[in-house]
Amino acid sequence: MTCPLCNVTDYFYKNSLFSLIFVDDIPGYIRLITNAHVKEFSDLSDQEAVEITLAVKKIEKILLKHTNADKINIASLGNMVPHLHIHIIPRFKNDPWWPGATFCEKTRDFTYPQIDLEKIKEEIIKSLG
Ligand SMILES: [Zn+2]
């Protein structure tokens, strides 16, 4: 079985532990994917877990600043692809799924505000080093 997350190439940032990609469905939606094919968060070493947690925290802050989102959702499921990845998703009170998860069915149409992905990318790269 080939894992679609083991060979991600369309990332905008990569370090020794994880890579980051923009997910097209929602502007500002970022997926953090571990380089190692591990299934659970607890498969990481303590140091790796801390590093990823702090990275997610930084990304959340940058997304809040540049999207004016009402909420940032952070989710790790992996039911479909058992390779650890974390969804970091800007949410708006009138977005198609609010207040449900974005994995639910859409309940309304929504026009996203203008979001500068280049600026977000730039700031994340600077912030994570
Ligand atoms: Zn994998």
Side-chain angles (χ1 to χ4, degrees), residues 26-29 60 63-64 67-75 87-108 110 112-113 115:
I26 299 172
Y29 178 170
E60 181 190 87
L63 287 178
L64 280 170
T67 65
N68 286 318
D70 295 305
K71 181 79 184 85
I72 303 294
N73 286 175
I74 296 170
H87 308 274
I88 310 163
I89 313 167
R91 299 298 310 276
F92 299 87
K93 284 184 178 168
N94 287 316
D95 76 30
W97 306 273
W98 186 273
T102 56
F103 310 100
C104 301
E105 206 157 307
K106 291 185 181 184
T107 55
R108 66 179 82 83
F110 178 69
Y112 281 93
I115 292 172

Side-chain angles (χ1 to χ4, degrees), residues 32-50:
L32 181 154
I33 303 162
T34 55
N35 296 342
H37 181 93
V38 294
K39 187 173 158 196
E40 305 292 351
F41 194 68
S42 58
D43 291 333
L44 300 170
S45 71
D46 286 355
Q47 194 191 326
E48 289 168 338
V50 167

